[in-house]
């Protein structure tokens, strides 16, 4: 006998599939007409389907009621999306891009990231009461990298093609891809110091010397350098093998198109097995894989990779909307809500803007101050920040004394969870609405001005028409050879001029205005409408 099966799997499939289908019906309208980002729309959908609203998506049920399991799911989901996104980011850059543009990237990834880290730390330290500067460094490290997922929303589509120069698009892609994997040194600098120096190094031994030793050996050598070397080797081997298979005609079209995504999954898994930086390795592998531009050109007109990328993006931002700790923003012992809001505003303004303005003359892709303002403002905080948040909280839970999480570690763990989640939500909303609000702000004053000036313009045009008629009827026409013929022409023009009621000119200063030299005019009649135009215009 048929029965209802209201299990989580059925509900999630129906909810996710229904939302993506409905969004797909109006996706072009949303993204290319209203310039709304898919991240913002899917996050709002996640909120609507979350336990706070419709309760179709129940994250704690999937994690068996454990908050730690829920954070693990979020971490792995973020790794998957970032890994695929970073390989695709590396693939879509032109050949040898990192070698050619190393100077610009070095500025953005070196002084740029360091300044973003310090500026964010200072703001967080100032806004959160009773917070040590070392703890602020840890929190700021999670939001230092710019997010490659949200960055794609401003470097793809009709708006980007029209308003963002191609070199600027590429440097944004390259920076967001590389610095997402370079967040480990900033994060572990504070974490190691806190573990071995904070609270007198309670529960640990070794002090600052051990902290710096681990930071250089484990973070820089093992995590960063090994991931770069691994990405180069895997990317080079993959390119050679795919070339060989294509020449032998061993690979079909479908497998060829999905090869980059499979490469991302392979790197995520193997880097996870050996405990190195899978994000940086994915980006480097993508660049090396398309070093000769062959794969990028072959797949340029194919939509498989963007389609999979879109499905992952919609899914993860729906998940973020459902799992975000909304209640903790207003009810916590770390930071009051008004300080949290002010913190979000300050971070979006000073985290990235000052250093970009300071360096823009040395980055040739940033040609004007408007470009610098664009690059400085659009440094979104998104999936990468949630990834580093999960890594940070997992490390902090390992700092224990007598089997309990150390007091300072627990406070920082709570603070980083509230602050990073709130800043991610702020970035999704602000950067998701910046383009449509900017377009409205650009067109609205002109529309209002035209609406308000219409009556006065008509009145002004009527006065001009009357003046023209009066001038032509009273002035002596110019006579070249035949005076009588000139008078006849002048009289005929004045007598036959109709009474104009509609002006068909451009509304600019007329022949008697000092701002514009006199131009010849002629009266016109179109059916029942009458008016005047300048001789160099068309009605």
């Amino acid at each position: 006998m048929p029965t209802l099966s209201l299990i989580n799997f059925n509900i999630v499939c129906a909810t996710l599939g229904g939302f993506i289908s409905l969004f797909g019906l109006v996706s072009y309208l949303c993204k290319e007409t209203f310039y709304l980002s898919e991240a913002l729309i899917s996050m709002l959908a996640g909120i609507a389907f979350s336990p706070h609203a419709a309760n179709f998506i129940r994250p704690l049920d999937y994690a068996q009621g454990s908050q730690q399991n829920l954070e693990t799911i979020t971490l792995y989901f973020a790794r998957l999306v970032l890994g695929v996104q970073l390989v695709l980011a590396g693939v879509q850059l032109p050949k040898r891009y990192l070698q050619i543009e190393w100077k610009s990237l070095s500025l953005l990834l070196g002084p740029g990231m360091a300044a973003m880290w310090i500026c964010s730390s200072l703001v967080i330290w100032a806004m959160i009461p009773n917070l040590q500067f070392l703890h602020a460094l840890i929190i700021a490290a999670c939001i230092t990298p710019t997010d490659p997922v949200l960055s794609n929303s401003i470097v793809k589509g009709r708006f980007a093609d029209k308003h963002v120069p191609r070199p600027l698009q590429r440097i944004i892609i390259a920076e967001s891809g590389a610095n997402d994997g370079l967040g480990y040194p900033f994060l572990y600098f504070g974490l190691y110091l806190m573990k071995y120096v904070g609270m007198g190094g309670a529960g640990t031994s070794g002090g600052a010397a051990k902290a710096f030793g681990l930071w250089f050996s484990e973070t820089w050598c093992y995590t960063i350098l090994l991931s770069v070397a691994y990405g180069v080797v895997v990317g080079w081997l993959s390119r050679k093998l795919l070339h060989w298979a294509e020449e032998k005609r061993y690979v079909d079209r479908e497998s060829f198109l999905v090869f980059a995504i499979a490469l991302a999954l392979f790197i995520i898994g193997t880097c996870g097995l050996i405990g190195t930086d899978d994000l940086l390795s994915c980006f480097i592998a993508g660049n090396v894989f398309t070093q000769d531009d062959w794969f990028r050109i072959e797949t340029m007109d194919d939509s498989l990779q963007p389609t999979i990328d879109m499905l992952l993006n919609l899914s993860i931002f729906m998940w973020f909307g459902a799992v975000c700790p909304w209640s903790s923003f207003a009810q916590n012992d770390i930071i009051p809500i008004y300080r949290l809001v002010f913190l979000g505003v300050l971070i979006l303004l000073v985290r990235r803007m000052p250093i970009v303005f300071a360096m823009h003359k040395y980055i040739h892709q940033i040609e004007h101050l408007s470009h610098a303002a664009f690059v400085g403002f659009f440094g979104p905080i998104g999936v990468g920040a949630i990834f580093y948040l999960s890594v940070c909280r997992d490390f902090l839970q390992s700092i224990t004394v007598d089997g309990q999480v150390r007091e300072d570690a627990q406070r920082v763990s709570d603070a980083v969870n509230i602050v990073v989640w709130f800043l991610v939500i702020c970035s999704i909303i602000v950067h998701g609405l910046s383009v449509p609000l900017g377009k409205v702000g650009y067109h609205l004053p002109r529309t209002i001005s035209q609406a308000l000036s219409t009556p006065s313009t008509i009145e002004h045009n009527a006065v001009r028409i009357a003046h023209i008629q009066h001038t032509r009827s009273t002035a002596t026409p110019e006579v070249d050879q035949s005076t009588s013929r000139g008078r006849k022409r002048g009289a005929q023009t004045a007598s036959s001029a109709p009474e104009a009621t509609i002006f068909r000119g451009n509304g600019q200063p007329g022949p008697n205005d000092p701002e514009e030299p006199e131009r010849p005019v002629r009266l016109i009649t179109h059916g029942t409408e009458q008016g005047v135009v300048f001789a160099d215009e068309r009605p």
Side-chain angles (χ1 to χ4, degrees):
M1 181 177 179
T3 57
L4 292 176
S5 181
L6 302 178
I7 61 176
N8 285 327
F9 178 78
N10 294 339
I11 295 174
V12 168
C13 288
T15 302
L16 182 62
F19 166 70
I20 295 177
S21 299
L22 292 176
F23 174 73
L25 296 176
V26 293
S27 57
Y28 185 85
L29 181 67
C30 292
K31 293 191 291 185
E32 303 297 345
T33 302
F34 298 130
Y35 301 107
L36 294 171
S37 71
E38 59 189 27
L40 175 62
I41 297 172
S42 54
M43 186 196 71
L44 295 176
I47 298 172
F49 298 137
S50 72
H52 305 287
N55 199 28
F56 291 161
I57 301 177
R58 306 159 188 162
L60 272 178
D61 289 358
Y62 316 147
Q64 299 178 345
S66 170
Q67 186 66 33
Q68 185 175 359
N69 291 343
L70 181 60
E71 291 185 8
T72 302
I73 294 173
T74 304
L75 171 62
Y76 292 156
F77 198 1
R79 282 182 61 197
L80 173 64
V81 174
L82 287 171
V84 173
Q85 185 70 255
L86 291 173
V87 168
L88 296 182
V91 166
Q92 64 183 296
L93 292 173
K95 64 179 181 179
R96 301 181 66 249
Y97 187 84
L98 297 185
Q99 295 94 315
I100 296 172
E101 302 296 345
W102 67 271
K103 291 184 179 179
S104 299
L105 285 173
S106 297
L107 289 173
L108 291 170
L109 299 177
M113 286 191 71
M116 290 165 62
W117 180 44
I118 297 299
C119 289
S120 301
S121 301
L122 291 172
V123 172
I124 292 171
W125 184 43
M127 294 305 302
I128 300 181
N130 304 317
L131 185 73
Q132 299 180 20
F133 185 67
L134 177 60
H135 301 166
L137 288 174
I138 296 173
I139 299 173
C142 297
I143 62 170
T144 296
T146 55
D147 187 61
V149 181
L150 289 176
S151 294
N152 265 342
S153 64
I154 60 170
V155 296
K156 290 182 178 179
R158 191 175 67 176
F159 177 83
D161 293 339
K162 184 177 180 180
H163 298 285
V164 184
R166 186 57 58 88
L168 201 60
Q169 295 180 27
R170 289 171 176 168
I171 198 67
I172 291 174
I173 293 173
E175 185 213 357
S176 63
N179 71 11
D180 226 46
L182 291 174
Y184 278 97
F186 300 98
L187 178 62
Y188 276 95
F189 178 84
L191 289 177
Y192 282 135
L193 282 177
M194 179 179 174
K195 181 175 181 178
Y196 293 101
V197 179
M199 294 188 68
T204 61
S205 61
K210 186 172 183 179
F212 281 109
L214 290 174
W215 186 60
F216 279 108
S217 61
E218 292 190 0
T219 304
W220 279 106
C221 295
Y222 191 82
T223 304
I224 301 299
L225 296 181
L226 178 61
S227 66
V228 172
Y230 185 72
V232 170
V233 172
V234 173
W236 182 82
L237 286 175
S238 301
R239 174 162 53 89
K240 292 296 183 181
L241 289 173
L242 189 60
H243 266 293
W244 173 80
E246 179 68 15
E247 290 173 359
K248 299 290 185 180
R249 299 186 181 275
Y250 290 164
V251 59
D252 60 10
R253 183 63 180 172
E254 291 78 12
S255 299
F256 181 87
L257 294 176
V258 82
F259 195 88
I261 297 171
L263 180 63
L265 298 178
F266 174 78
I267 295 174
I268 292 171
T270 53
C271 285
L273 290 174
I274 62 177
T276 189
D277 187 352
D278 48 357
L279 304 185
L280 185 58
S281 189
C282 282
F283 180 70
I284 296 298
N287 276 276
V288 176
F289 179 62
T290 188
Q291 186 81 353
D292 57 358
D293 237 11
W294 171 64
F295 185 81
R296 184 180 71 90
I297 295 174
E298 287 289 327
T299 59
M300 185 178 297
D301 298 327
D302 186 79
S303 59
L304 175 63
Q305 295 174 9
T307 300
I308 295 178
D309 180 48
M310 182 202 69
L311 291 175
L312 289 175
N313 293 347
L314 291 175
S315 302
I316 196 166
F317 283 105
M318 280 188 69
W319 179 257
F320 284 175
V323 303
C324 178
W326 299 99
S327 59
S328 66
F329 298 154
Q331 301 173 358
N332 64 81
D333 299 328
I334 307 297
I335 178 173
I337 183 63
Y338 72 91
R339 281 179 172 262
L340 194 59
V341 172
F342 196 45
L343 171 64
V345 174
L346 288 177
I347 288 292
L348 293 177
L349 290 178
V350 306
R351 162 178 166 263
R352 182 177 170 87
M353 194 85 71
I355 187 61
V356 172
F357 272 107
M359 299 190 307
H360 80 278
K361 292 183 179 179
Y362 307 100
I363 302 173
H364 68 87
Q365 291 88 351
I366 305 177
E367 299 177 351
H368 311 291
L369 284 176
S370 59
H371 292 171
F374 177 80
V375 175
F377 178 73
F378 281 101
I381 306 168
V383 183
I386 299 301
F387 169 80
Y388 283 111
L389 164 66
S390 302
V391 172
C392 177
R393 282 172 59 86
D394 184 63
F395 184 92
L396 290 171
Q397 296 302 311
S398 67
I399 305 176
T400 59
V401 177
D402 299 330
Q404 299 293 324
V405 179
R406 209 168 70 187
E407 182 181 351
D408 61 339
Q410 185 61 52
R411 177 174 171 79
V412 174
S413 179
D414 295 338
V416 72
N417 190 58
I418 295 169
V419 171
V420 172
W421 268 112
F422 184 79
L423 293 177
V424 167
I425 299 302
C426 286
S427 181
I428 293 173
I429 294 174
V430 171
H431 292 121
L433 292 176
S434 294
V435 173
L437 290 180
K439 299 287 286 187
V440 170
Y442 177 75
H443 291 291
L444 188 60
R446 298 173 61 188
T447 304
I448 295 176
S449 177
Q450 291 175 1
L452 294 177
S453 64
T454 299
S456 59
T457 302
I458 294 176
E459 181 180 356
H460 174 67
N461 293 335
V463 173
R464 291 174 59 190
I465 294 170
H467 174 74
I468 293 169
Q469 293 176 344
H470 175 72
T471 301
R472 289 191 171 182
S473 61
T474 58
T476 303
E478 179 182 357
V479 180
D480 43 10
Q481 294 180 358
S482 172
T483 304
S484 60
R485 187 175 58 186
R487 287 176 180 168
K488 182 178 180 180
R489 186 191 304 118
Q492 181 180 1
T493 304
S495 61
S496 61
E499 182 181 359
T501 56
I502 297 178
F503 179 68
R504 293 208 177 258
N506 55 8
Q508 300 299 319
N512 295 320
D513 296 325
E515 292 84 2
E516 184 180 76
E518 183 174 353
R519 291 188 291 171
V521 296
R522 61 185 177 86
L523 299 176
I524 60 167
T525 301
H526 291 286
T528 60
E529 297 183 353
Q530 300 170 345
V532 60
V533 296
F534 295 104
D536 56 349
E537 294 175 348
R538 295 294 183 267

